[in-house]
C-alpha cells in the first residue's frame, strides 16, 4: 500500500476507505439533519433563566442537551471525516467549515446552562434529585459541573467565549492545514537509487533503511520544510498556547495546566511525578542507544541512525489484511465479546487505511454514539502499522463497550483512560508475537526492538514532549511570545537530555517540536506516558490469565466517562497517584532490554 506516488482519493479502493454512509448517504442528508438539530436548539434556549424553577425544567434541559449533543456529534464527525479524507477537497473543506462555524453559534446559544446549574443551591439540587427520579442519570454530570463553580463565568461571558471559539481555535486549524495539505518534503532516493516522493505516510520506510545514505537523506528532507517555516510554526504554537493561557486566567485558574487537568480532578502532582520518574530512569533509554550504536558498529551514532532495525528491514512485512489477521489472533486472549466488536470494526469498513493525496497524516479513532467508531490510518506494510491498528482498535473497542453500557453523556472516556485501552493492545500484541516467534532469534530481536521503540516513543518521548509543552506554556504566560529560536533551543536541550551521550545531533532543531500535532490538544501528551505505564500492569494480568483480570478490564472498558478517571483506574487495579505503577513499567522495560542484550551477545 506504500506507493511511490500518492493516489488521489478517488483511486483508493473502497475496501480501504471508511464507509461514511454508516453516518449519512450524502452531504445533503447531513445538512437536513443539521437543520433539524438547530430547531431542537431553539427549544432548548426557551428554557434559559428557568432551570432553577423546578426539577422538571432541569430534567427537560438535560434531556434536550443530551439529544442535541448526540445529533451534533454525528453531524460534525461526518463533516470532519469528509475533510480529513482529503484536505484538498474544496467541497469537504467547505462543509467542515460550515458546521464548525455554526457549532460556535450553537455553543453560544447553549452557554447559559452551566452558569444556571452552578447557581442553584445545593439543597435545591438535592430536592430536585429526590422529587424527580429521572435526574439520577445526570447526577455525576451535575456534580462535575458544580465542582467547577469557581471557574464558570456569567452567562454573558460564557456566551462571548463560545461565540469566539472558532476564532480562538484558528491556530489549531491553521497548523493542521499547513501540516497536512500544504507541507511538501520533496523527492528523495530509495535503496535502488530511484527518485520517490517523501510523505508523512511513507517516511518510515526510508528512515529505517539499512542504507545509511537513504535514511540520512530522508531524515534531513523531512526536517527541511519545518525549518523553512519555523517562524510560522512558532507563531501558530504561540497563538494556541496564548489562547489557553488567556482562558485559564479568565476562568480563575492558576495556569493552563491546572485548567486542563482540573475538570477530571487529576492532581498536577500526577504530571510532575511522571516527569520526575522518567528523568530518574533516563539511563535505561541511554543504555538502549549505546547498545544500538555498538551493534551497528559506527563511530558516531546520529539521529538518522536511531530508527534502523538491528535485525534488518521488514522481517514481518504486513499488508493491511495481514495486520488485521495478526491483531485478531493477538487480541483473542480477550475472549469472544471483544472479538465480536473487533470483527464488526474490521468487516464493516470502520477503517480508512490507505494514504492518499491530501489525507490527514498519522492515525486516530473517533466515535459516534448513534453509529460506531471510525479509524484513520496511513498504512505502510510495516509491522509498525499493525501496532497502530492494534492501538487505534483499542480506542475503538473502548468506545464500543462504553457505548453499550453508558448513556451518551458518559460514553466517551476521558483521554487519561482512553490511552490505556490503546496501549494495552500494543502490549498484548508484543506478548503474542514474542510467543509466536519464540524460536526465531532474528524475529525475536525485531519484535523486542519494536517494543523498545514503542516504550521509548510512548513513555520517554511523550514525557519529553510534556516537559517541552509545560515549559512553553509557562514561558508564553510569563513573556507573552514564543519565538522560533527559543523553541528550537529548548527542544534541542531536551532532545540531548532524553537521547543521551551516545546520540550525535544532526540536521535542524525545529522539526523536533514543530511536527507534533498533539501540542495543539492542550496537555494531551503526558497521558500517553501515564497510560502506557498503567496498561503495562493491566495487560500483563490479562495475558497471564490472573483471576478476575479480564472481568476487571471489561468493567474498565464499559465505564467510559461515568466516574473520575483516577477512580476508574483504581477499580481496574492501578493507582496513578502513586509512582509505583511507573516503577513497575520501567522494570518490565529493563527486562526487555536484558532479553535483547542477551540475544545480541
Amino acid at each position: 500500500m506504500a506507493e511511490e506516488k500518492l493516489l488521489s482519493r478517488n483511486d483508493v479502493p473502497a475496501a480501504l476507505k471508511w464507509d461514511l454512509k454508516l453516518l449519512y448517504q450524502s452531504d445533503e442528508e447531513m445538512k437536513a439533519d443539521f437543520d433539524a438539530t438547530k430547531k431542537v436548539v431553539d427549544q432548548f434556549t426557551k428554557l434559559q433563566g428557568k432551570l432553577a424553577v423546578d426539577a422538571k425544567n432541569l430534567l427537560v434541559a438535560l434531556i434536550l442537551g443530551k439529544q442535541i449533543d448526540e445529533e451534533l456529534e454525528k453531524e460534525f464527525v461526518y463533516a470532519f471525516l469528509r475533510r480529513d479524507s482529503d484536505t484538498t477537497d474544496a467541497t469537504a473543506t467547505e462543509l467542515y467549515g460550515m458546521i464548525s462555524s455554526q457549532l460556535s453559534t450553537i455553543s453560544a446559544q447553549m452557554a447559559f446552562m452551566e452558569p444556571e446549574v452552578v447557581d442553584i443551591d445545593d439543597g435545591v439540587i438535592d430536592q430536585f434529585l429526590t422529587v424527580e427520579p429521572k435526574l439520577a442519570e445526570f447526577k455525576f454530570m451535575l456534580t462535575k459541573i458544580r465542582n467547577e463553580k469557581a471557574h464558570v463565568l456569567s452567562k454573558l461571558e460564557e456566551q462571548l467565549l463560545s461565540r469566539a471559539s472558532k476564532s480562538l481555535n484558528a491556530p489549531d486549524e491553521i497548523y493542521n492545514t499547513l501540516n497536512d495539505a500544504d507541507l511538501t518534503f520533496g523527492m528523495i532516493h530509495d535503496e535502488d537509487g530511484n527518485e520517490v516522493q517523501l510523505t508523512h505516510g511513507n517516511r518510515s520506510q526510508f528512515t529505517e533503511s539499512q542504507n545509511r545514505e537513504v535514511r540520512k537523506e530522508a531524515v534531513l528532507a523531512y526536517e527541511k520544510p519545518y525549518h523553512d517555516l519555523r517562524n510560522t510554526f512558532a507563531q501558530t504554537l504561540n497563538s494556541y498556547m496564548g489562547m489557553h493561557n488567556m482562558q485559564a486566567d479568565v476562568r480563575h485558574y492558576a495556569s493552563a495546566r491546572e485548567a486542563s487537568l482540573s475538570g477530571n480532578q487529576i492532581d498536577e502532582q500526577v504530571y510532575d511525578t511522571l516527569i520526575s520518574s522518567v528523568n530518574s530512569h533516563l539511563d535505561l533509554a541511554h543504555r538502549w542507544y549505546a547498545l544500538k550504536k555498538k551493534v551497528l558498529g559506527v563511530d558516531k551514532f546520529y539521529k538518522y541512525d536511531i530508527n534502523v532495525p538491528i535485525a534488518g528491514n521488514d522481517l514481518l512485512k504486513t499488508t493491511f489484511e495481514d495486520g488485521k489477521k495478526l491483531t485478531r489472533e493477538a487480541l483473542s486472549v480477550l475472549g469472544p465479546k471483544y472479538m465480536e466488536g473487533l470483527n464488526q470494526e474490521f468487516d464493516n469498513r470502520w477503517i480508512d487505511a490507505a494514504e492518499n493525496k491530501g489525507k490527514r497524516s498519522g492515525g486516530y479513532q473517533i466515535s459516534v454514539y448513534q453509529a460506531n467508531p471510525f479509524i484513520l490510518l496511513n498504512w505502510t506494510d510495516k509491522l509498525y502499522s499493525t501496532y497502530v491498528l492494534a492501538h487505534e482498535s483499542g480506542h475503538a473497542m473502548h468506545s464500543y463497550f462504553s457505548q453499550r453500557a453508558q448513556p451518551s453523556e458518559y460514553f466517551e472516556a476521558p483521554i487519561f483512560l482512553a490511552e490505556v485501552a490503546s496501549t494495552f493492545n500494543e502490549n498484548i500484541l508484543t506478548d503474542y508475537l514474542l510467543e509466536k516467534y519464540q524460536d526465531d532469534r532474528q524475529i525475536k530481536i525485531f519484535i523486542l526492538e519494536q517494543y523498545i521503540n514503542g516504550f521509548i516513543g510512548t513513555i520517554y518521548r511523550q514525557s519529553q514532549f510534556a516537559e517541552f509543552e509545560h515549559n512553553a506554556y509557562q514561558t508564553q504566560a510569563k513573556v507573552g511570545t514564543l519565538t522560533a529560536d527559543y523553541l528550537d533551543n529548548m527542544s534541542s536541550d531536551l532532545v540531548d537530555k532524553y537521547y543521551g551521550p551516545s546520540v550525535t545531533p544532526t540536521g535542524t532543531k525545529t522539526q523536533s517540536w514543530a511536527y507534533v500535532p498533539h501540542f495543539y490538544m492542550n496537555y494531551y501528551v503526558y497521558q500517553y506516558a501515564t497510560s502506557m505505564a498503567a496498561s503495562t500492569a493491566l495487560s500483563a494480568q490479562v495475558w497471564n490469565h490472573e483471576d478476575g483480570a479480564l472481568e476487571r478490564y471489561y468493567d474498565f472498558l464499559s465505564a467510559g466517562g461515568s466516574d473520575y478517571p483516577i477512580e476508574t483506574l483504581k477499580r481496574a487495579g492501578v493507582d496513578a497517584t502513586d509512582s509505583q505503577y511507573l516503577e513497575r513499567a520501567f522494570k518490565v522495560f529493563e527486562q526487555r532490554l536484558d532479553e535483547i542484550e542477551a540475544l545480541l551477545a
Side-chain angles (χ1 to χ4, degrees), residues 390-391 394-395 418-429 458 527-536 539 553:
H391 177 105
H395 286 309
E419 295 300 344
V420 173
S422 58
T423 53
F424 178 101
N425 280 10
E426 292 185 52
N427 289 325
I428 292 291
L429 179 59
T458 305
Q527 296 166 108
Y528 277 121
T530 56
S531 295
M532 179 67 161
S535 70
T536 297
S539 61
Y553 189 61

Side-chain angles (χ1 to χ4, degrees), residues 487-553:
L487 295 170
D488 278 358
N489 291 331
M490 178 175 65
S491 182
S492 179
D493 289 344
L494 287 169
V495 166
D496 291 345
K497 180 175 75 169
Y498 275 80
Y499 281 85
S502 296
V503 180
T504 301
T506 188
T508 72
K509 301 175 181 179
T510 304
Q511 182 262 332
S512 63
W513 60 267
Y515 86 114
V516 184
H518 295 86
F519 289 151
Y520 296 83
M521 298 173 74
N522 191 29
Y523 284 100
Y524 186 108
V525 292
Y526 86 97
Q527 296 166 108
Y528 277 121
T530 56
S531 295
M532 179 67 161
S535 70
T536 297
L538 297 180
S539 61
Q541 293 167 9
V542 171
W543 182 255
N544 293 321
H545 303 285
E546 293 185 15
D547 287 345
L550 185 57
E551 290 73 19
R552 288 194 302 273
Y553 189 61

Side-chain angles (χ1 to χ4, degrees), residues 183-250:
L183 218 60
T184 58
F185 305 100
M187 305 296 288
I188 60 170
H189 297 88
D190 65 15
E191 294 185 354
D192 297 322
N194 301 313
E195 279 200 333
V196 292
Q197 181 182 350
L198 182 66
T199 70
H200 285 297
N202 71 9
R203 73 179 172 115
S204 64
Q205 73 184 80
F206 303 112
T207 59
E208 295 175 11
S209 172
Q210 296 292 320
N211 185 319
R212 202 178 196 192
E213 289 304 312
V214 169
R215 61 181 185 260
K216 177 181 178 181
E217 184 183 23
V219 167
L220 296 181
Y222 191 76
E223 291 179 351
K224 186 178 185 302
Y226 289 104
H227 177 77
D228 292 343
L229 295 170
R230 60 197 291 270
N231 294 309
T232 301
F233 282 113
Q235 185 56 52
T236 58
L237 189 61
N238 178 71
S239 298
Y240 180 83
M241 291 185 170
M243 175 268 291
H244 279 288
N245 278 330
M246 177 276 292
Q247 293 207 55
D249 182 53
V250 166

Side-chain angles (χ1 to χ4, degrees), residues 7 150 212 337 345 356 361 366 377 444 446 506 541 562 601:
L7 296 174
R212 202 178 196 192
K337 283 197 300 183
E345 172 196 322
N356 59 257
S361 60
I366 190 168
L377 303 174
K444 277 192 72 176
F446 187 79
T506 188
Q541 293 167 9
S562 61

